Amino acid sequence: MPPSREEPRGLVEALLSGRYATLGDVPARPGRADAPPIVPASALTERPARDVVAELDASAAAPEPARWRPVRYQLTCAVADLDDVLAFTAPAPLAVYVTDVDDSALAATAQALTDAGHIPGLAVGHGVDAIADFLSVLAHATTGYVARVADADGVLALLGATAAALSGFDVREAVVAPDPGRLVRLVPEATDALREILLAVEVDDPGVVARDLAVRGLVTR
């Protein structure tokens, strides 16, 4: 069960999101590291019994307010569609991945999304300098961000880089050579601050990634 408000949140507590075609594909017993699953909005034909992230189809009609809200909506769009997305108000928080944004525009795109009240998405493939500039924006924003990575190494790099951005350490070094020991030693207040910025990380197999992170000493409390 999730931690109470009196309990500090673990570094990887409810951090890892998996993508599933339907609610029926979601594991029945989530692990401590599992964040709400990502399910296409079109597959959510009735109110789900659990928290979910509803993924929108950019070519489909915009969602309308309902009697229930997902944890957030998620949308992948192209740079050419960004102005329309910035003007869109969703019935729940909206995370946005911009597929074809290049490194030079990543931070500015993140700033535009946070200014619009949206949650920027950071996908794998961007360079170290671009990630550092992206995190310099998010360290001073109130929206937080979400990310997509391939494996536990990618999660570790994001955790280290986000911690560095909040504490004034070298973000670029933290991306290239994250220090699990430093992350494990974070005080609860620093962990909470980090997790207010890094909301969730999408991975192919949350269970495998959680086990890999546990081997490196990053376990939930």
Side-chain angles (χ1 to χ4, degrees):
M1 62 185 298
S4 71
R5 292 185 179 181
E6 289 75 25
E7 293 178 326
R9 176 161 50 171
L11 194 63
V12 297
E13 181 86 38
L15 176 66
L16 306 176
S17 285
R19 179 189 297 271
Y20 304 93
T22 69
L23 279 173
D25 298 323
V26 178
R29 294 185 178 181
R32 293 276 290 183
D34 287 346
I38 303 165
V39 180
S42 59
L44 300 172
T45 56
E46 58 185 28
R47 180 171 186 160
R50 62 187 301 169
D51 288 340
V52 299
V53 175
E55 183 162 39
L56 300 175
D57 183 340
S59 64
E64 297 181 358
R67 286 180 293 178
W68 69 276
R69 300 198 320 165
V71 170
R72 61 182 170 271
Y73 288 102
Q74 182 167 296
L75 176 69
T76 300
C77 74
V79 169
D81 300 319
L82 185 58
D83 285 346
D84 290 337
V85 173
L86 293 175
F88 173 57
T89 301
L94 175 65
V96 181
Y97 288 93
V98 184
T99 56
D100 54 346
V101 63
D102 60 31
D103 281 5
S104 64
L106 182 65
T109 300
Q111 185 68 66
L113 287 168
T114 61
D115 289 346
H118 298 327
I119 301 166
L122 177 63
V124 66
H126 289 288
V128 174
D129 289 341
I131 293 172
D133 291 343
F134 175 94
L135 289 175
S136 71
V137 172
L138 270 298
H140 302 287
T142 59
T143 60
Y145 78 99
V146 295
R148 290 173 177 158
V149 301
D151 50 28
D153 286 339
V155 176
L156 185 61
L158 288 176
L159 289 168
T162 306
L166 291 172
S167 58
F169 288 106
D170 189 330
V171 175
R172 292 163 179 81
E173 180 182 352
V175 174
V176 175
D179 182 355
R182 176 178 289 175
L183 291 169
V184 170
R185 293 191 296 272
L186 289 176
V187 298
E189 293 79 9
T191 296
D192 286 345
L194 189 161
R195 290 301 313 280
E196 288 177 2
I197 301 298
L198 179 54
L199 304 179
V201 181
E202 181 182 334
V203 294
D204 288 341
D205 191 326
V208 169
V209 173
R211 289 192 290 274
D212 288 347
L213 292 172
V215 168
R216 301 168 200 222
L218 300 177
V219 296
T220 58
R221 291 188 177 94

